[in-house]
Amino acid sequence: MKKLYYILLFSFCVYNCQKKEVPFKINSYVKLNIENYEYEGRLQTSVNAILNFIKDDSISQKINKNTRRYEYLLTNRIDLDSVYNLLPDSLKAHQLFNSLLKDKKFASYFHTTFYNNYKNKEIYTKEELMLIASKFFLSEKFGNKFGTRICIGINGLDDDFKHKDFTLLEAFAYEAIFERMMNVKLPPPQFIKNLDQYLNKATASLNENVKDSLFYVRKEVFSAMENDQELENHLLNYFKKNKENLAIDIIVSQ
């Protein structure tokens, strides 16, 4: 009887060790939000993909801990324009949206982010991190004045870097930047103050030889943010604090 007990116990352990994670259905936790509103006397429609949390559900609880990385994927890796173009046929819009959620590549991004496979983490360098992070800080021109805004997506990634998929790194950088910026318990981050200085320096260096002033300013500010020490310190510290729940690894050369 004791021998049989050990055999059963061994079988149970083997079964549990070989158990595989079955990817959850993303459309159970994401929904399409179609909203009509009035703006300047005209009826407008907005289309957004939003997270749909299920009460007391373990998957919802895990996603809710780091929502920004999933929001980035929904905003930048789902073609909402194609969904919008099907309106006012909301049935077709929802059908297309659900098919986009099931797309193999998008599902891979979402599930990889969630399951965090330690053996197959995407590996990036600190230089790649800073390049990607800098592209969130976009310079704009309003009449003759320049300003900056921090976007939910990257801007102007050089063709030289399109040979590699930076999606998960982009999601991390977005999360790290906005988690700090939206923390009202802390003063504004120093890298935002530096951003203003870089913009002022770029605009002050404009001269008659610059044909496209906006392109020039954007390039200068991107370059400055790519080398900003305060931004680098924040991103690397945020990575260290969240390393165990991330599907990426960042290599810092000595």
Side-chain angles (χ1 to χ4, degrees):
M1 188 68 182
K2 180 180 273 190
K3 184 177 181 180
L4 177 61
Y5 169 78
Y6 285 121
I7 291 174
L8 291 173
L9 180 61
F10 175 76
S11 299
F12 176 78
C13 292
V14 170
Y15 170 78
N16 278 275
C17 290
Q18 294 178 341
K19 189 168 57 177
K20 291 185 177 180
E21 293 172 324
V22 179
F24 55 89
K25 294 181 179 179
I26 297 174
N27 59 3
S28 296
Y29 299 91
V30 176
K31 67 178 181 180
L32 180 65
N33 183 51
I34 302 174
E35 187 175 357
N36 296 315
Y37 62 96
E38 182 273 331
Y39 178 72
E40 294 185 350
R42 293 185 178 183
L43 186 63
Q44 307 286 337
T45 301
S46 66
V47 174
N48 296 291
I50 61 176
L51 293 169
N52 181 35
F53 297 116
I54 301 172
K55 188 177 181 181
D56 298 326
D57 176 87
S58 61
I59 294 175
S60 293
Q61 291 173 7
K62 185 173 179 180
I63 292 176
N64 193 35
K65 290 180 180 178
N66 304 99
T67 57
R68 295 191 192 280
R69 64 187 67 167
Y70 300 98
E71 290 172 348
Y72 182 87
L73 297 177
L74 292 173
T75 301
N76 294 279
R77 293 299 181 268
I78 291 290
D79 185 6
L80 290 175
D81 287 339
S82 63
V83 176
Y84 178 85
N85 290 336
L86 291 175
L87 296 176
D89 193 330
S90 61
L91 178 60
K92 287 186 177 181
H94 279 88
Q95 288 174 341
L96 175 59
F97 179 70
N98 285 326
S99 69
L100 292 174
L101 291 179
K102 296 176 183 177
D103 176 77
K104 188 176 181 179
K105 196 166 188 178
F106 175 79
S108 175
Y109 292 139
F110 205 96
H111 286 136
T112 299
T113 300
F114 182 88
Y115 287 120
N116 182 23
N117 190 326
Y118 292 98
K119 295 181 180 179
N120 298 304
K121 285 193 172 189
E122 293 288 341
I123 299 176
Y124 301 100
T125 65
K126 181 191 72 173
E127 290 73 23
E128 289 172 332
L129 169 63
M130 293 304 295
L131 169 70
I132 292 300
S134 70
K135 303 301 184 182
F136 285 95
F137 301 91
L138 185 66
S139 301
E140 298 279 29
K141 189 175 183 181
F142 308 95
N144 294 320
K145 294 183 178 181
F146 289 88
T148 56
R149 63 186 176 93
I150 295 84
C151 307
I152 192 173
I154 62 172
N155 305 273
L157 186 62
D158 298 332
D159 291 337
D160 293 342
F161 293 89
K162 289 187 177 179
H163 65 281
K164 186 172 182 179
D165 191 344
F166 289 104
T167 297
L168 297 181
L169 184 63
E170 293 168 23
F172 162 75
Y174 165 74
E175 176 184 318
I177 291 169
F178 275 82
E179 284 293 325
R180 177 61 184 88
M181 286 179 53
M182 301 304 291
N183 190 338
V184 296
K185 296 180 180 179
L186 297 174
Q190 183 61 46
F191 61 80
I192 293 298
K193 297 178 182 179
N194 294 346
L195 174 64
D196 293 334
Q197 295 177 13
Y198 300 146
L199 178 66
N200 293 335
K201 183 178 180 180
T203 55
S205 64
L206 287 170
N207 56 57
E208 64 276 4
N209 295 321
V210 177
K211 296 180 179 180
D212 188 335
S213 60
L214 181 57
F215 176 80
Y216 172 83
V217 169
R218 282 181 175 174
K219 187 177 180 180
E220 290 295 303
V221 172
F222 282 152
S223 178
M225 291 305 294
E226 185 179 347
N227 293 283
D228 186 81
Q229 192 61 53
E230 293 293 337
L231 178 61
E232 178 183 315
N233 292 341
H234 168 67
L235 292 172
L236 293 179
N237 287 334
Y238 191 87
F239 172 74
K240 289 178 182 178
K241 291 178 182 178
N242 291 273
K243 189 173 183 178
E244 297 305 314
N245 63 58
L246 288 166
I248 66 171
D249 201 358
I250 298 173
I251 305 301
V252 180
S253 57
Q254 299 297 325

